[in-house]
Amino acid sequence: MESERKKLKISHSNDHQSVNDFEDSSGSPDLGAFATSFLDIEDKQCGALLQLDYGMNICYVYNPLDYAREIHRDFLAKFCKGPKKVLLLGMNPGPWGMGQTGVPFGHVQYAKDWLRVKGSVTKPENEHPKRLITGLECRRSEVKERSGLEAICNAALVDTVKLLGIEHLVCVGNYTTEKSKLALERAGLESIKISTLMHPSPVNPAANKGWREIAIRQLTESGVIHYFKAPEKSSWN
């Protein structure tokens, strides 16, 4: 955090556009009913999170679903067309991943070249000078009131799991696994299988000793590795 402290300023536009307004003005792909329902869960979560008081020590709050909404909508239009069996869950958007692209686990190169999402970004209302938003033009990559916040995120997770029809939750890191188990148990969703994928953070000594091999082994042991392999034909669900 920067040495100088500023009053918390939420990074979202004052005249936030509705889904329909955004569609009309941007020319982005139409969202089907399923993707629209998913976006409604996200918007509800973001709206609630933006109402929290994070205290005077928090100077910058980024909302990728606002300034990177065009790319995020394109991602949903391409890949959120129906129920899914497996959900990959992390903690927060990284500044050089989803923080730029609006795509979960959205490494810029993979978002552009593999997922082939398109769109432009605007700027957060309060932008950190060392965390500038350039969207798909970004050349950097990831190396990589609390109770109220958790309640909002848990509710969004439960709604997402129900909407997508998730059977298996792959949690990135032990913290995510622990919190997800509690959230799903409280919602009566104990039948959903939960497994852990080691967090690739560079501060994790184990991750620095061959994270790729460890990840492949863990995903194989969890029985979901086939979901991460390239399909035989270039067709996406």
Side-chain angles (χ1 to χ4, degrees):
M1 187 61 63
E2 301 296 301
S3 57
E4 67 275 14
R5 301 299 183 185
K6 301 177 182 178
K7 185 175 181 180
L8 174 66
K9 197 173 185 181
I10 301 298
S11 69
H12 67 293
S13 57
N14 293 328
D15 54 343
H16 186 75
Q17 295 171 300
S18 70
V19 171
N20 290 332
D21 290 340
F22 185 91
E23 167 63 25
D24 292 342
S25 64
S26 70
S28 57
D30 287 334
L31 292 182
F34 194 87
T36 299
S37 296
F38 184 80
L39 186 60
D40 286 344
I41 294 173
E42 294 181 306
D43 283 338
K44 179 181 178 181
Q45 178 188 17
C46 286
L49 290 173
L50 291 172
Q51 298 303 313
L52 296 180
D53 181 2
Y54 295 97
M56 294 300 295
N57 288 335
I58 303 300
C59 306
Y60 303 91
V61 177
Y62 278 31
N63 179 8
L65 266 63
D66 181 10
Y67 60 79
R69 193 175 185 87
E70 187 173 323
I71 305 175
H72 184 72
R73 280 180 57 92
D74 189 54
F75 170 71
L76 294 184
K78 285 182 168 72
F79 301 107
C80 191
K81 297 180 179 180
K84 313 293 179 184
K85 292 185 177 181
V86 178
L87 179 65
L88 188 63
L89 182 67
M91 284 180 59
N92 56 281
W96 313 117
M98 185 178 178
Q100 295 288 335
T101 64
V103 176
F105 303 96
H107 184 290
V108 176
Q109 181 181 346
Y110 295 141
K112 287 196 299 184
D113 300 337
W114 188 42
L115 300 180
R116 298 186 178 182
V117 294
K118 299 178 181 179
S120 59
V121 296
T122 58
K123 289 285 189 178
E125 184 177 316
N126 191 27
E127 187 177 36
H128 193 293
K130 295 182 180 180
R131 297 290 186 270
L132 301 179
I133 299 301
T134 55
L136 295 175
E137 301 305 313
C138 179
R139 296 185 179 275
R140 298 187 62 170
S141 62
E142 298 289 348
V143 196
K144 229 205 154 186
E145 192 171 348
R146 190 175 183 107
S147 61
L149 185 147
E150 287 188 358
I152 293 169
C153 293
N154 287 345
L157 171 62
V158 169
D159 288 344
T160 297
V161 164
K162 289 180 177 179
L163 175 68
L164 298 179
I166 295 299
E167 297 177 2
H168 195 138
L169 190 63
V170 180
C171 299
V172 182
N174 294 325
Y175 178 85
T176 307
T177 301
E178 175 188 337
K179 294 299 181 180
S180 297
K181 284 182 178 179
L182 289 175
L184 296 184
E185 286 174 2
R186 290 169 180 169
L189 299 174
E190 295 94 339
S191 62
I192 296 175
K193 185 176 180 180
I194 299 177
S195 57
T196 303
L197 178 64
M198 178 186 286
H199 198 292
S201 170
V203 301
N204 181 355
N208 292 326
K209 298 178 181 179
W211 181 85
R212 183 178 184 276
E213 291 71 23
I214 294 172
I216 291 174
R217 174 175 55 79
Q218 290 181 327
L219 293 172
T220 301
E221 292 173 350
S222 299
V224 297
I225 189 66
H226 57 285
Y227 291 109
F228 294 85
K229 294 182 178 180
E232 295 181 0
K233 296 182 180 180
S234 57
S235 60
W236 292 91
N237 206 2

